[in-house]
């Protein structure tokens, strides 16, 4: 089985490639990644010489490049490639539309042309919008509120259309928020941990009471594996843990684990259009036999430990373009 994994140099793609290569001796992986700011081949240093792994630098929105990669004999496509950061999408949405919508279309066309066994779309619970006290099911209507989630929703709708119109065997997954090793330090958890290691304050948006549901990367990899093994074509699966936390709860827990106090918190201007609460109903996936193995607190401790031990990895990332972004985002 040969997989094309797009965005494999990013946080989730690289973790999943490592999982597939290490757990399935018969699987081969081609990693197509554009190496934008968030793509980093160091994430896969430990497997870069594995004969079952191949890296190709390229853009999923580049039709010729995608065609060239498909000629390698791809059985399944898993599309991790995406612009994912809400705050960056507020600063400018074009790259989100190009990658998350047009890039998805390009891959779907290639999947159709080459008759792949399956196309899996990695997506987010954010396409459902915000829910005060309910849960998103696979049937919940899309109500995206940020340019990022609107772009992902556009891509996901294209996947549905290719299943309905052309019978392309597809699966769409909507996951809650991820955390764990190799996450780029612009997202809440790695940003806060790395700021604190550097002795800087952590910028909490608004009142800090927005709620997100969280999944640790190893649990996510098992969830997606379960979907690959047991999921059905044309279906949609939510991936969630039930670990729903306010941002300030997470901030206080990080401070406590790191032995710091609340003086390190800085309340800053809220994100425009900031979704209040995400909550995922993942019963459909659980019926396939998956459940998360890690508690939030233990996994957060492990994540903090990883960032403490891999300062060379993230200190390099917190320079250059990142500093420009940080200034634009936080010194408004
Ligand atoms: P984020 O990690 O950007 O993920 P998403 O917006 O896709 O859920 O943000 C998670 C939550 O943390 C969200 O409610 C916004 C909040 N947040 C802050 O309070 N401060 C920050 O600096 C960042 C990046 C996020």
């Amino acid at each position: 089985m040969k997989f094309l994994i797009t965005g494999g140099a990013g946080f989730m793609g690289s973790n999943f490639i490592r999982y597939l290569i290490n757990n399935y001796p018969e699987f081969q992986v081609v990693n197509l990644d554009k190496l934008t700011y968030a793509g980093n081949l160091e994430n896969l240093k430990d497997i870069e010489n594995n004969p079952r792994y191949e890296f190709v630098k390229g853009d999923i929105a580049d039709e010729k490049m995608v065609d060239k990669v498909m000629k390698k004999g791809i059985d399944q496509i898993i599309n991790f490639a995406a612009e994912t950061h809400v705050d960056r999408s507020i600063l400018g949405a074009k790259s989100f539309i190009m990658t998350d919508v047009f890039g998805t279309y390009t891959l779907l066309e290639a999947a159709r042309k080459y008759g792949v066994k399956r196309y899996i779309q990695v997506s987010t619970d954010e396409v459902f919008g915000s829910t005060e006290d309910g849960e998103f099911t696979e049937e919940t209507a899309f109500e995206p509120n940020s340019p990022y989630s609107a772009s992902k929703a556009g891509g996901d709708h294209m996947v549905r259309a290719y299943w309905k119109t052309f019978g392309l065997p597809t699966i769409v997954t909507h996951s809650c928020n991820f955390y764990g090793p190799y996450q780029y330090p612009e997202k809440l958890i790695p940003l806060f941990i790395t700021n604190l290691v550097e002795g800087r304050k952590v910028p909490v948006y608004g009142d800090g009471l927005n709620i997100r549901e969280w999944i640790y990367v190893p649990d996510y990899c098992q969830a997606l594996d379960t979907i690959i093994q047991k999921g059905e074509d044309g279906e949609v699966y939510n991936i969630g843990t039930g670990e729903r936390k306010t941002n300030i709860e997470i901030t206080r827990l990080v401070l406590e684990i790191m032995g710091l106090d609340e003086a390190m918190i800085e309340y800053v201007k809220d994100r425009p259009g900031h979704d209040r609460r995400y909550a995922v109903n993942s019963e459909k996936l659980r019926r396939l036999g998956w459940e998360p193995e890690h508690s939030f607190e233990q996994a957060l401790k492990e994540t903090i430990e990883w960032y403490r031990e891999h300062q060379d990895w993230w200190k390099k990332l917190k320079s250059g373009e990142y500093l420009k972004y940080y200034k634009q985002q936080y010194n408004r």
Side-chain angles (χ1 to χ4, degrees), residues 44-103:
L44 285 165
K45 265 249 159 310
D46 50 329
I47 63 152
E48 69 182 359
N49 295 320
N50 189 303
R52 291 182 289 117
Y53 168 75
E54 183 185 352
F55 171 69
V56 178
K57 184 176 184 315
D59 187 345
I60 59 164
D62 177 344
E63 288 149 300
K64 283 205 185 89
M65 174 56 79
V66 169
D67 200 70
K68 207 167 117 191
V69 170
M70 292 306 293
K71 292 209 163 74
K72 293 177 184 291
I74 302 297
D75 299 299
Q76 295 202 33
I77 299 175
I78 308 180
N79 181 25
F80 278 96
E83 291 291 338
T84 66
H85 193 42
V86 175
D87 296 319
R88 286 189 191 252
S89 80
I90 296 168
L91 295 172
K94 187 173 173 184
S95 61
F96 288 74
I97 298 162
M98 290 313 295
T99 299
D100 303 1
V101 186
F102 189 75

Side-chain angles (χ1 to χ4, degrees), residues 7-11 33-43 184 317:
F11 164 49
D33 196 297
K34 191 181 173 185
L35 297 181
T36 62
Y37 77 93
N40 183 356
L41 287 177
E42 282 188 36
N43 300 5
Y184 191 82
L317 302 178

Side-chain angles (χ1 to χ4, degrees), residues 84-87 124-126 148 177-178 183 186-192 202-206 208 210-212 214 247 251 268 271 274-276 278 325 329-330:
T84 66
H85 193 42
V86 175
D87 296 319
T124 167
D125 56 2
E126 300 195 24
Y148 158 63
N177 285 55
F178 312 121
Q183 189 169 28
E186 65 186 351
K187 300 284 169 70
L188 177 77
I189 289 178
L191 174 71
F192 281 21
V202 293
V204 174
Y205 295 160
N210 300 66
I211 293 173
R212 297 289 181 266
W214 294 90
N247 295 333
T251 307
V268 300
R271 169 188 284 172
H274 196 175
D275 283 334
R276 194 61 172 171
Y278 301 147
Y325 159 73
Q329 175 59 22
Y330 294 100

Side-chain angles (χ1 to χ4, degrees), residues 11 178-198 202 214 250 254 300 303 306-307 313-314 318 322:
F11 164 49
F178 312 121
Y179 66 104
Y182 299 105
Q183 189 169 28
Y184 191 82
E186 65 186 351
K187 300 284 169 70
L188 177 77
I189 289 178
L191 174 71
F192 281 21
I193 297 169
T194 58
N195 269 16
L196 292 169
V197 171
E198 292 175 313
V202 293
W214 294 90
I250 294 174
V254 171
L300 186 64
T303 303
W306 189 89
Y307 280 89
W313 179 84
W314 58 261
K318 281 188 135 183
Y322 179 93

